[in-house]
Amino acid sequence: METEARAEPGTGTMTAPEAAPFVNMRDPASRLGPDGKPAVSRRAPKWQDVPDEKWNDWRWQLSNRVNDLDEIAEILELTEEEREGLAADDKFRVDITPYFVSLIDPKDPEDPIRRQVIPLGREQSAFVGMMEDSLGEDRHSPVPGLVHRYPDRVLMLITTQCATYCRYCTRSRIVGDATQNFNRKDHEAQLDYIRRTPQIRDVLISGGDGLTLAPKLLESVIRALREIPHVEIIRIGSRVPVFLPQRIDDELCEMLAKYHPIWLNIHVNHANEITPELARACDKLTRAGIPLGNQSVLLAGVNDCVNIQRDLVHGLVEMRVRPYYLYQCDLVEGSGHFRTPVGKGLEIIEGLRGHTSGYAVPTYVIDAPGGGGKIPVMPNYLVSYSDHKIVLRNYEGYITTYEEPLEYKQHDKAHCHACQHPRQEAGQGGIHALLQGERMWIEPAGFEQVHERGNQQAHRLQESSKWVPYGVGAIEGSVAGDGRGLPVLEAGAPSAYGAGEEPRPAEGAPTATANHELL
Ligand SMILES: *Cc1c(COP(=O)(O)O)cnc(C)c1O
Ligand code: SF4
């Protein structure tokens, strides 16, 4: 093959190589299976004989969802506690697409996909701080299903239905309940409020999951929004690409592309959800001009691990999906056993920021209990904390608290695939290594030599240029070298003290504390 491209002797001309179509093996949407055809995910044996046309038809997937104990027991080896969870009468709705339930390892009770969709008995347990409507959404709804919390944008709930139901759903008070669904009349009231409220420039369609709506009805809502002159952007929050990638067909993408600018956030919590089917769905949406983001929820036993999160965000950016938010789990009924301390989220961000591409690092947020919106967990917003409570303030100065879980089962590194196979390049240490327990301290340069002498204080005193402000003038109330305050060095001047010698106020002069009191 190689010789074909070489110059033919004597002629001085090149023959072009046979133009073979380029296959981009890096692009997850182009990945091929062992048979040379587009890669596909595992199918549970129950559906092995279903023809591909049916399997790939989103309507078939929706109408063949599994919800009942006996049916699920055919697919997964259920534990006692799962049986108890599935048998509970007043549980949050269970319904899982054949595609998504097939991604679960039937033998592994800790499978991260399984934990998101199969109920446990303990999801019925109450916990301190638990609320039905923990974000105070109903209180912030001027019309049913429309949450107007921020000045310039609204959340528009157009359905209570989802393709599959997540055990920790923040809206479990209405989601899944067909009797509480929103209809055309509700949509019209929501649209009317938006029309009458010109400060709304951004509308976030959610639910439930807006992409489960009948295609015509969905288009009518989006078109009506686009006809409102002050609506600048339309956003959709949807887990359909994850639960039902078959729904992301050309027809849907062409429809959405008519109403740009449209942005879409998907919701992936673990790299096991990143399949060839999801990658192709994301590719289609991206090609339709829709920028994609991801929102994930920090869940104990699913993704409360830096290495799992790193695999997740790397998988997302490969699909051109930008990690947007990492949510602290809400104080909502049913989610007690999923909750982690806030320190876990901070540890994850510490392990991502700088260690990987900035594009891959989400913002870690707590959706304010009581309804103050998403608050980033970072210094200006974190007001205070105790061993079980976090005090936060939002952009308006609203101050709220988040109650941490009293019980948290720590992540089991020994049985975590991601922890046993982490990326190992140099420079992955830092503060992250301290949090991981790999090291106990990090010493600044020059520390060791003094440390050897057993005098840990001396290291900053031996060389006063290390700790005396340089070039900023005298500290108020002190005169260089007069012994009353801190000595101030002239640029290039030799230190007034010998190595290890402590600067001390002159006999009878006020001490630093006394000095402070005098001020
Ligand atoms: C999440 C949310 C939004 C959008 O918030 P961003 O931080 O802009 O993504 C808007 N309204 C409500 C009620 C929300 O919960
Ligand atoms: S997809 Fe969203 S709205 Fe639906 S159950 Fe899951 S978290 Fe709740």
Side-chain angles (χ1 to χ4, degrees):
M1 289 297 280
E2 230 187 354
T3 51
E4 284 175 21
R6 295 231 176 96
E8 282 173 25
T11 65
T13 55
M14 298 274 286
T15 6
E18 190 77 6
F22 176 67
V23 180
N24 180 353
M25 295 304 282
R26 186 74 254 177
D27 177 6
S30 314
R31 225 152 263 174
L32 301 177
D35 56 359
K37 293 189 190 146
V40 289
S41 299
R42 170 187 177 277
R43 251 196 232 186
K46 177 179 166 76
W47 296 292
Q48 221 51 262
D49 301 326
V50 171
D52 288 353
E53 310 86 77
K54 275 197 175 160
W55 182 260
N56 295 324
D57 175 351
W58 62 271
R59 290 185 173 88
W60 183 89
Q61 287 280 340
L62 276 184
S63 47
N64 285 276
R65 286 182 290 182
V66 292
N67 48 49
D68 144 287
L69 199 161
D70 295 335
E71 204 176 10
I72 296 176
E74 275 178 58
I75 303 159
L76 308 174
E77 289 176 18
L78 294 176
T79 64
E80 265 321 298
E81 207 195 344
E82 286 174 327
R83 287 177 179 274
E84 192 191 325
L86 283 163
D89 287 336
D90 53 351
K91 63 178 178 298
F92 177 57
R93 179 161 165 188
V94 175
D95 240 338
I96 316 165
T97 56
Y99 158 80
F100 201 65
V101 79
S102 292
L103 301 178
I104 297 174
D105 176 348
K107 292 184 190 310
D108 179 8
E110 303 300 330
D111 181 285
I113 292 186
R114 179 171 183 148
R115 291 282 50 86
Q116 293 179 55
V117 293
I118 305 287
L120 289 176
R122 79 187 96 142
E123 101 181 8
Q124 308 285 326
S125 322
F127 57 87
V128 177
M130 183 176 89
M131 288 175 272
E132 192 189 10
D133 177 12
S134 74
L135 309 180
E137 292 190 325
D138 295 343
R139 280 198 291 127
H140 287 86
S141 296
V143 291
L146 196 83
V147 188
H148 193 180
R149 166 145 45 237
Y150 294 99
D152 70 337
R153 54 206 189 280
V154 287
L155 172 67
M156 185 178 180
L157 308 178
I158 60 173
T159 176
T160 58
Q161 305 298 295
C162 296
T164 293
Y165 295 90
C166 317
R167 304 322 301 163
Y168 51 85
C169 179
T170 196
R171 260 172 231 128
S172 51
R173 68 185 187 284
I174 50 169
V175 162
D177 184 347
T179 67
Q180 292 204 61
N181 210 351
F182 302 104
N183 56 30
R184 265 173 204 276
K185 246 175 98 185
D186 297 310
H187 298 158
E188 203 35 61
Q190 296 169 342
L191 288 163
D192 209 47
Y193 177 85
I194 299 171
R195 286 188 197 104
R196 287 186 283 110
T197 316
Q199 66 265 37
I200 297 170
R201 47 162 284 283
D202 173 358
V203 178
L204 168 50
I205 296 177
S206 183
D209 196 319
L211 293 190
T212 61
L213 217 60
K216 286 222 169 67
L217 185 53
L218 176 65
E219 177 164 8
S220 74
V221 170
I222 295 178
R223 177 193 295 242
L225 281 174
R226 194 34 87 220
E227 280 166 357
I228 303 175
H230 55 265
V231 172
E232 295 170 9
I233 60 170
I234 298 173
R235 287 199 262 177
I236 301 172
S238 173
R239 223 181 168 187
V240 158
V242 175
F243 291 146
L244 186 64
Q246 299 79 9
R247 174 70 185 93
I248 311 301
D249 51 18
D250 293 338
E251 197 188 337
L252 176 75
C253 292
E254 280 161 27
M255 185 277 275
L256 294 173
K258 282 194 274 176
Y259 303 103
H260 274 314
I262 291 191
W263 295 61
L264 196 148
N265 265 329
I266 63 172
H267 170 173
V268 185
N269 292 321
H270 190 284
N272 286 10
E273 295 157 59
I274 299 180
T275 61
E277 288 86 352
L278 174 64
R280 290 194 289 267
C282 292
D283 185 62
K284 268 189 199 298
L285 289 163
T286 307
R287 283 172 198 272
I290 303 169
L292 298 181
N294 183 61
Q295 322 201 67
S296 49
V297 183
L298 178 53
L299 300 166
V302 174
N303 60 11
D304 53 339
C305 161
V306 176
N307 293 308
I308 289 178
Q309 291 278 349
R310 191 178 298 149
D311 288 350
L312 168 64
V313 295
H314 285 171
L316 288 167
V317 292
E318 272 197 85
M319 297 192 297
R320 287 168 282 155
V321 176
R322 164 86 158 96
Y324 181 57
Y325 283 150
L326 171 64
Y327 285 95
Q328 179 70 9
C329 190
D330 290 329
L331 294 160
V332 65
E333 287 174 11
S335 69
H337 61 288
F338 284 122
R339 297 174 60 238
T340 67
V342 172
K344 179 52 74 175
L346 291 170
E347 175 195 340
I348 287 167
I349 300 300
E350 182 71 59
L352 294 178
R353 174 64 64 200
H355 296 271
T356 190
S357 325
Y359 268 135
V361 185
T363 303
Y364 174 41
V365 296
I366 299 184
D367 214 336
K374 270 77 108 179
I375 305 185
V377 189
M378 49 174 75
N380 286 346
Y381 297 91
L382 189 56
V383 175
S384 198
Y385 48 88
S386 73
D387 60 356
H388 66 108
K389 244 186 211 304
I390 306 289
V391 181
L392 300 144
R393 67 112 177 144
N394 79 350
Y395 68 101
E396 298 165 294
Y398 168 90
I399 294 178
T400 187
T401 57
Y402 178 85
E403 183 79 44
E404 296 214 87
L406 295 174
E407 281 170 45
Y408 166 62
K409 183 172 170 279
Q410 285 204 358
H411 177 63
D412 182 1
K413 288 185 183 183
H415 294 103
C416 170
H417 182 267
C419 286
Q420 296 309 309
H421 305 87
R423 290 183 66 102
Q424 285 293 11
E425 54 273 85
Q428 293 290 0
I431 307 293
H432 169 61
L434 300 186
L435 293 177
Q436 296 305 301
E438 289 160 20
R439 307 183 64 174
M440 195 165 168
W441 55 62
I442 296 174
E443 293 174 349
F447 189 92
E448 268 168 50
Q449 141 205 7
V450 181
H451 186 62
E452 278 166 15
R453 300 207 320 250
N455 181 353
Q456 299 199 17
Q457 277 299 310
H459 79 280
R460 60 190 175 87
L461 301 174
Q462 61 167 350
E463 170 54 274
S464 49
S465 65
K466 262 191 177 173
W467 59 281
V468 173
Y470 170 74
V472 296
I475 292 171
E476 199 177 1
S478 82
V479 179
D482 76 347
R484 287 184 61 232
L486 297 171
V488 178
L489 285 185
E490 304 291 337
S495 166
Y497 301 95
E501 193 184 332
E502 186 152 349
R504 232 172 262 109
E507 207 65 50
T511 62
T513 323
N515 218 353
H516 177 72
E517 281 164 4
L518 288 175
L519 287 175

